[in-house]
C-alpha cells in the first residue's frame, strides 16, 4: 500500500494562478486510499474519550461518518445556512471575499458532550472556528480536531491554537 500522500492529486494553478490545489477525490476514489485515510484519521483521534463526531459540509461528511460508524458514535452535520430542516443555531464567519453562515441542529449537541470534529482540509481555520463556536454555544466541549490535509502556509493553527489539532498530511504552502 502507498503512503497517504501518494493518493492526493495536486493540480497547479487551480482555482487561480499560484495555487496548488490538493484534490482529495483521488484519495476517496481509490479503495486503499479511502481505507488508509479513515484509518489514519482514527489513529490521530487515538484513545480520546468523546461522544459525538461533527463534520462540516460536505467533505467532513465523507471522513466523519466512517469514523462515527467505526467507533459507534453519533454524527452531526454542520451545514450551510438553510439546509437543515429543524431548529438550528448558526454562526456567520468571514471568507476571503464576503461571509458565510454555518448551522447545526439546536438539539444535536447536548451540554457536556465531548466532540471530535473531522474535515478534509485546514486552510485559514475560519470555518472550523465558527463550528467550534456553535458546539460551545450548545454546551459541547471540543476535545479533538482532525484534518486529512493542512495547508501550513495559511496558518490556520493560529486561529485554533486553544484546541487539540492534528493533520494527517501537512503541505508547507498555500
Amino acid at each position: 500500500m502507498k503512503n497517504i500522500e501518494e493518493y492526493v492529486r495536486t493540480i497547479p494553478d487551480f482555482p487561480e494562478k499560484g495555487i496548488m490545489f490538493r484534490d482529495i477525490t483521488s484519495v476517496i476514489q481509490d479503495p486503499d486510499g479511502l481505507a488508509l485515510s479513515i484509518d489514519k484519521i482514527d489513529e490521530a483521534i487515538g484513545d480520546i474519550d468523546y461522544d459525538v463526531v461533527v463534520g462540516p459540509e460536505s467533505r467532513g461528511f465523507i471522513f466523519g461518518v466512517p469514523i462515527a460508524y467505526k467507533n459507534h458514535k453519533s454524527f452531526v452535520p454542520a451545514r450551510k445556512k438553510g439546509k437543515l430542516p429543524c431548529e438550528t443555531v448558526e454562526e456567520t464567519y468571514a471568507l476571503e471575499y464576503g461571509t458565510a453562515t454555518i448551522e447545526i441542529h439546536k438539539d444535536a449537541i447536548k451540554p457536556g458532550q465531548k466532540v471530535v470534529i473531522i474535515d478534509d482540509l485546514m486552510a485559514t481555520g475560519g470555518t472550523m472556528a465558527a463550528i467550534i463556536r456553535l458546539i460551545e454555544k450548545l454546551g459541547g466541549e471540543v476535545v479533538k480536531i482532525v484534518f486529512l490535509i493542512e495547508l501550513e502556509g495559511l496558518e490556520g493553527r493560529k486561529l485554533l491554537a486553544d484546541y487539540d489539532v492534528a493533520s494527517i498530511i501537512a503541505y508547507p504552502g498555500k
Side-chain angles (χ1 to χ4, degrees):
M1 189 178 292
K2 301 187 283 190
N3 292 324
I4 190 68
E5 295 86 352
E6 295 177 75
Y7 291 97
V8 177
R9 179 174 37 203
T10 300
I11 301 158
D13 298 323
F14 182 84
E16 59 188 53
K17 190 161 181 58
I19 301 293
M20 300 296 283
F21 186 82
R22 309 301 179 168
D23 183 18
I24 61 103
T25 61
S26 53
V27 176
I28 62 176
Q29 287 173 176
D30 186 290
D32 291 334
L34 178 59
L36 185 58
S37 64
I38 299 302
D39 290 345
K40 292 286 187 186
I41 290 169
D42 196 46
E43 286 173 23
I45 295 169
D47 60 0
I48 288 177
D49 178 38
Y50 67 101
D51 306 297
V52 179
V53 174
V54 171
E57 184 173 354
S58 65
R59 292 174 304 260
F61 299 1
I62 294 168
F63 298 106
V65 169
I67 294 296
Y69 173 80
K70 184 175 185 176
N71 295 294
H72 198 68
K73 306 295 180 183
S74 61
F75 179 81
V76 172
R79 300 212 57 196
K80 296 172 186 166
K81 185 175 177 70
K83 300 284 187 174
L84 292 171
C86 296
E87 189 177 359
T88 63
V89 291
E90 65 181 47
E91 190 71 31
T92 299
Y93 59 100
L95 298 171
E96 188 177 356
Y97 302 106
T99 62
T101 302
I102 196 155
E103 299 178 314
I104 59 175
H105 279 139
K106 194 172 188 177
D107 63 354
I109 307 288
K110 311 288 186 280
Q113 282 189 312
K114 295 177 181 168
V115 179
V116 169
I117 309 171
I118 298 172
D119 204 3
D120 70 321
L121 181 87
M122 177 171 47
T124 65
T127 303
M128 193 56 57
I131 292 168
I132 291 167
R133 290 191 298 272
L134 286 174
I135 291 165
E136 291 176 347
K137 194 183 292 187
L138 294 174
E141 176 191 359
V142 175
V143 295
K144 186 83 176 190
I145 305 167
V146 182
F147 298 95
L148 181 64
I149 296 172
E150 176 179 354
L151 303 177
E152 293 174 322
L154 294 173
E155 301 181 337
R157 277 189 190 257
K158 286 184 179 178
L159 194 56
L160 308 176
D162 294 336
Y163 299 90
D164 183 0
V165 176
S167 57
I168 308 309
I169 306 167
Y171 292 103
K174 299 178 182 180

